[in-house]
Amino acid sequence: MARIIAIAAPIAILVSLGVGGTVVLQALKPKPEKAEEARVGLNVFAEQVRRGDLQISVESQGEVRPKREIVVAPQISGRISYVSPDFIDGGFIKKGQLLVRVEAADYELAVVRAQSTVASAEQRLARETAEAELARQDIEDLGLDNASPLARREPQLAEARASLDAANAQLKEAQLALDRTAVYAPFSGRVRERNVDIGQVVAAGQSLGRIFANDVVEVSLPLNDEEMGRLGLPLAFAPTAEHPGPEVVFSAMVGGIKRHWTGEVVRTAAALNTQTRQINVIAELKDPYGAGADDGAPMAPGLFVSAHIEGATIHDVLIAPRAALRGDDRLFIGVPDTGKLSIRKVDLIYSDPDGAYVRAGIAPGEYAVTSPIQAAFDGMNITVMERLPDGTIKTYEPKSDTDEGKTEETVMAVSGQEGTDE
């Protein structure tokens, strides 16, 4: 027993010393400092909301066509004896210019025959007038009071006068046909096509070619109901001095150069298109080959052009970047001080690639988030970053609960494409 105690006693003393030493060391060990939990926030790019004016506009497309275009046709038949050298595809013509002449020999003979008929009718009328005067004197000499009209030669005199009127009408008809052997341009313009040449026999009404006036061209621009409302145009629009038509800027590639022409809306079509449910707005450009041309480049018929229609101007609206618009009426706003995301419902007026235009729901100077955010929710932790005009990026670090200063701002220079941590 004494042997066992002699062995166990040292072991117990050693265990007691070890446990006591461990307790003492733990008591004397300094407590570790608590580190604040790192804040987790999504880095997003944002742009400031600003105030400005909204110029409402609508984009459309259409084909240029002349306002006046006709088929040139003779009113009489015959053989072509002359064709103007300007009467050719692409030729420029003037109002009153002779385009085509039909051989006039047959019609000149008809005029001579009609003149002969008129002379005969005049001679007959003169004879009947003299005979009627003699008959009147005879009746007076005989003292007859009830002489018949035939005895007075009244029917014969009326017939002679009618024959003269008919002969004069035939002469005018023959002269008119002779005048119509020459076909003149009814307006100044250009020739689209020519279908005849010298020596060809044509009939009345046969097409000799097509010409169009070059004083005005027009473009039919299809718009839907929303676009009509955006421009403030009624379905039956006609410009007045108080309410002129909206300005239209046409553009197209001509000769490898982007050309622009400025016209105006002059009317709307009479009815909607039953297939597209759109209505055509007619815009005009005056003097497309002269003052209306772009550095000598005309807006020629047949050209397909894009049209930018200027509407009304709405003053003092809030403008946010278009990329910040989520859905139809929501914006993501980043709050730099708190590092939180605020989802706002706004009163949207209009949006285009240049921005989203809002009446209310946001304030100038707030930061509209343009970066894509998945599963976004109100109050989400974010870090707002702003790209400055010089290409540097400013990062707004939110202040903690213990910070007394303002939001910390860090500016760093970057190159290449902007990135977003998600």
Side-chain angles (χ1 to χ4, degrees):
M1 183 67 179
R3 182 182 177 84
I4 295 173
I5 293 173
I7 295 173
I11 294 173
I13 293 172
L14 291 174
V15 171
S16 298
L17 291 174
V19 172
T22 301
V23 172
V24 172
L25 290 174
Q26 288 292 336
L28 297 176
K29 182 179 178 181
K31 293 183 179 180
E33 295 181 359
K34 283 188 176 182
E36 291 187 6
E37 183 179 353
R39 180 182 180 278
V40 179
L42 181 68
N43 293 337
V44 296
F45 282 96
E47 297 180 20
Q48 289 193 35
V49 177
R50 57 187 176 87
R51 285 193 180 275
D53 297 334
L54 168 59
Q55 176 67 61
I56 296 179
S57 61
V58 170
E59 304 291 332
S60 188
Q61 295 177 322
E63 182 181 352
V64 182
R65 64 187 184 191
K67 187 174 183 179
R68 291 185 294 170
E69 182 172 5
I70 64 169
V71 174
V72 179
Q75 293 180 274
I76 48 89
S77 59
R79 188 175 68 88
I80 301 298
S81 61
Y82 170 81
V83 176
S84 170
D86 295 328
F87 189 51
I88 191 171
D89 187 4
F92 286 87
I93 56 175
K94 298 294 184 181
K95 182 177 180 179
Q97 180 179 349
L98 177 63
L99 301 180
V100 175
R101 185 183 294 279
V102 177
E103 195 173 70
D106 293 339
Y107 299 96
E108 291 172 348
L109 293 176
V111 170
V112 173
R113 287 194 295 268
Q115 290 173 342
S116 175
T117 303
V118 169
S120 298
E122 289 175 344
Q123 187 271 337
R124 181 182 175 187
L125 177 60
R127 185 178 64 250
E128 289 295 338
T129 302
E131 290 181 356
E133 180 62 24
L134 291 175
R136 183 184 64 79
Q137 292 179 359
D138 290 342
I139 292 173
E140 289 180 356
D141 293 341
L142 294 174
L144 299 177
D145 296 330
N146 56 351
S148 66
L150 188 60
R152 297 176 184 275
R153 301 194 64 84
E154 293 177 359
Q156 295 87 333
L157 183 60
E159 181 184 7
R161 288 172 178 164
S163 297
L164 179 59
D165 291 340
N168 283 324
Q170 290 177 357
L171 177 59
K172 290 180 180 179
E173 183 179 7
Q175 187 63 54
L176 185 60
L178 178 62
D179 294 341
R180 287 173 175 171
T181 58
V183 180
Y184 298 95
F187 47 71
S188 297
R190 298 197 69 183
V191 181
R192 185 185 289 272
E193 62 180 25
R194 190 186 78 183
N195 303 327
V196 296
D197 212 332
I198 296 176
Q200 183 175 346
V201 177
V202 296
Q206 180 178 335
S207 174
L208 306 180
R210 298 181 67 89
I211 61 174
F212 62 85
N214 60 2
D215 56 343
V216 179
V217 292
E218 60 183 22
V219 183
S220 294
L221 303 171
L223 300 180
N224 57 36
D225 185 67
E226 179 185 352
E227 293 168 332
M228 292 286 290
R230 197 183 306 164
L231 294 174
L233 291 177
L235 291 180
F237 170 75
T240 62
E242 295 77 14
H243 302 284
E247 184 179 270
V248 183
V249 178
F250 304 102
S251 62
M253 294 295 295
V254 179
I257 302 175
K258 189 72 171 291
R259 301 290 187 177
H260 297 85
W261 307 271
T262 303
E264 63 178 354
V265 173
V266 295
R267 66 183 186 279
T268 55
L272 277 74
N273 187 306
T274 56
Q275 296 180 345
T276 64
R277 307 311 303 169
Q278 294 181 321
I279 188 168
N280 286 334
V281 172
I282 313 301
E284 286 187 355
L285 172 66
K286 296 181 180 179
D287 197 8
Y289 290 87
D294 179 11
D295 194 20
M299 195 170 82
L303 195 65
F304 195 78
V305 296
S306 299
H308 179 85
I309 308 174
E310 295 288 352
T313 300
I314 302 178
H315 298 284
D316 197 23
V317 298
L318 298 166
I319 306 175
R322 176 64 178 83
L325 185 63
R326 320 291 166 140
D328 294 332
D329 59 355
R330 290 188 308 153
L331 284 176
F332 286 178
I333 300 298
V335 184
D337 289 347
T338 62
K340 300 293 184 181
L341 176 68
S342 176
I343 300 178
R344 307 280 183 84
K345 187 173 182 180
V346 296
D347 184 6
L348 182 69
I349 303 173
Y350 173 65
S351 66
D352 60 18
D354 295 329
Y357 305 90
V358 178
R359 287 192 183 90
I362 53 177
E366 291 190 306
Y367 288 86
V369 177
T370 58
S371 299
I373 302 178
Q374 296 182 354
F377 58 90
D378 201 44
M380 179 179 182
N381 288 334
I382 60 172
T383 299
V384 176
M385 299 188 301
E386 181 184 10
R387 183 180 293 277
L388 301 179
D390 59 2
T392 59
I393 294 178
K394 179 188 289 187
T395 302
Y396 297 88
E397 296 291 346
K399 58 185 179 182
S400 63
D401 295 337
T402 60
D403 291 338
E404 295 181 358
K406 295 184 178 180
T407 303
E408 181 182 356
E409 300 179 0
T410 303
V411 179
M412 59 180 178
V414 295
S415 62
Q417 297 180 345
E418 66 184 44
T420 304
D421 297 334
E422 297 187 9

